[in-house]
Amino acid sequence: MTQPIHDPLGDSFESFLEEQGIKDEIYGAAVKRVIAYQLEAARQSADLSKTSMALAMDTSRSQVGRILDPENVAVSLELLDRAAKALGKRLKVELIDL
């Protein structure tokens, strides 16, 4: 009789996060990191200083630093949109099925 194959890694990383009750938090942090990295790459590509970006956004340089900080998840969509526009970009937010 053949024994069932046991997967030592479990179902998936996603199911692990669900079991731990932190999936939404992790996903939110990951989304912010991606946006921060994209904004920073666009800023560098445009050869725009953080001070110049702050002026274009009508905000402070320290606020730009928070927006570009991948660890800071407490940034509003409105600020992210202003940052994108200052870089000649458009912020796109969409809903997808779970």
Side-chain angles (χ1 to χ4, degrees):
M1 184 181 256
T2 306
Q3 296 233 339
I5 297 174
H6 175 68
D7 182 3
L9 298 178
D11 292 331
S12 70
F13 184 62
E14 191 169 293
S15 64
F16 169 76
L17 294 176
E18 283 179 6
E19 289 172 13
Q20 300 300 310
I22 58 173
K23 180 182 167 192
D24 291 340
E25 178 183 342
I26 297 298
Y27 272 51
V31 167
K32 172 51 171 71
R33 281 191 182 111
V34 168
I35 292 171
Y37 287 127
Q38 288 176 336
L39 289 170
E40 179 62 12
R43 185 188 70 77
Q44 289 179 2
S45 178
D47 198 26
L48 191 66
S49 70
K50 290 179 183 178
T51 301
S52 296
M53 185 173 168
L55 287 171
M57 292 176 61
D58 192 29
T59 192
S60 67
R61 188 188 179 289
S62 61
Q63 183 74 297
V64 169
R66 286 189 287 277
I67 292 166
L68 298 176
D69 179 359
E71 301 300 317
N72 185 350
V73 296
V75 178
S76 71
L77 286 175
E78 187 265 335
L79 272 177
L80 293 174
D81 186 54
R82 285 174 42 204
K85 286 178 182 169
L87 296 167
K89 305 287 183 185
R90 182 175 63 90
L91 182 67
K92 178 182 175 183
V93 178
E94 68 180 320
L95 296 175
I96 58 172
D97 293 332
L98 297 176

